[in-house]
Amino acid sequence: MLDFEQMDTTTLVIALQHEHDELGFVELCNRFKPLFYRLHKKFYNLNFTVDELQQEMRLGLFDCLQKFKAVGYRQTFGAYLKRMLQHRLLDHWRHQQTQKAIFYRENCELLDAEHDHEYLQKRVFYSNLYQADNLLELRETLTEFGYCLNSELERTAYHDILSGRESANNDQKTLMQMSRARTRVRKKLEQYLK
């Protein structure tokens, strides 16, 4: 068994690349704990707890250990590790910013749609329609409401609202009357459903 505490960092890295030893990896993690804490302070906006960040750094350390070539590199393992961990944490930060941007964009689209007057009217109308406990109660309620309407014009407007289309009347005066009748029926239906 090797004495990992007595080895310098480069020798320890080479030994761990050839022989995967848990104690050696723990020793390497302990040597770079100050780097982990400095990076935790630098990347505080990632909203990682210290344990989560240390776990992420250990994963990064393991990846660096696999990729680092001691011979032929002009930099030390510590410099290589620091650069790789910074890139890894920057990737996490970019991912979080992307998720925030997507969330913000979706909510802005919803807010824009909610300010649309027609959208609000339809939303109120349909949300009130679906307050009934089940389809049978809703059907009974709508049938009873149809009998409460005073005029033939309101009954036709009510039928148009339920079917989702307008009656085929070409007369301008009749179109205005139907529009007003539909508005009255919607208001009466909202009151009736409350």
Side-chain angles (χ1 to χ4, degrees):
M1 183 166 172
L2 298 171
D3 186 17
F4 296 112
E5 293 177 6
Q6 301 301 324
M7 294 182 180
D8 67 338
T9 305
T10 307
T11 311
L12 179 60
V13 168
I14 293 171
L16 288 175
Q17 286 176 339
H18 294 293
E19 179 183 323
H20 300 289
D21 191 321
E22 187 176 334
L23 293 175
F25 186 73
V26 170
E27 173 62 29
L28 195 60
C29 287
N30 288 336
R31 288 186 186 185
F32 288 103
K33 264 190 181 176
L35 173 65
F36 292 172
Y37 287 117
R38 276 196 312 268
L39 289 175
H40 181 260
K41 287 180 183 176
K42 184 175 181 179
F43 291 95
Y44 68 92
N45 58 347
L46 283 175
N47 297 326
F48 281 158
T49 64
V50 174
D51 293 334
E52 290 172 339
L53 190 65
Q54 282 186 353
Q55 180 65 26
E56 187 63 36
M57 302 250 194
R58 284 184 186 118
L59 290 171
L61 178 65
F62 185 77
D63 288 345
C64 288
L65 189 61
Q66 301 298 317
K67 295 176 184 175
F68 183 74
K69 293 181 176 62
V71 180
Y73 270 25
R74 293 183 182 173
Q75 62 183 352
T76 64
F77 180 76
Y80 178 73
L81 175 66
K82 180 179 178 183
R83 189 184 55 171
M84 294 301 283
L85 289 177
Q86 285 177 339
H87 288 297
R88 190 178 183 108
L89 293 173
L90 279 172
D91 286 343
H92 278 290
W93 180 79
R94 286 185 190 114
H95 179 71
Q96 282 183 356
Q97 295 303 315
T98 302
Q99 294 300 319
K100 286 178 187 177
I102 290 170
F103 178 76
Y104 178 74
R105 188 174 349 132
E106 288 173 353
N107 284 334
C108 283
E109 288 172 1
L110 285 174
L111 287 175
D112 289 343
E114 285 180 5
H115 289 296
D116 185 14
H117 184 67
E118 258 185 47
Y119 175 78
L120 282 175
Q121 283 182 337
K122 287 179 183 177
R123 185 172 175 189
V124 167
F125 177 72
Y126 288 118
S127 67
N128 287 338
L129 276 179
Y130 290 110
Q131 285 179 356
D133 291 332
N134 58 35
L135 186 57
L136 188 59
E137 285 182 31
L138 180 62
R139 192 174 291 157
E140 282 180 20
T141 304
L142 292 176
T143 304
E144 289 173 8
F145 176 73
Y147 295 129
C148 297
L149 294 174
N150 299 330
S151 68
E152 184 64 34
L153 189 62
E154 285 183 351
R155 279 191 219 88
T156 305
Y158 178 63
H159 179 68
D160 288 351
I161 290 171
L162 291 180
S163 67
R165 58 180 187 270
E166 296 181 14
S167 299
N169 291 331
N170 295 331
D171 186 16
Q172 186 66 22
K173 184 177 180 182
T174 309
L175 288 175
M176 290 289 284
Q177 289 173 342
M178 283 302 291
S179 175
R180 290 181 187 142
R182 277 195 286 283
T183 304
R184 284 194 309 272
V185 168
R186 281 190 185 111
K187 288 180 182 177
K188 286 181 181 180
L189 183 57
E190 286 176 12
Q191 291 298 320
Y192 188 78
L193 290 174
K194 283 184 182 180

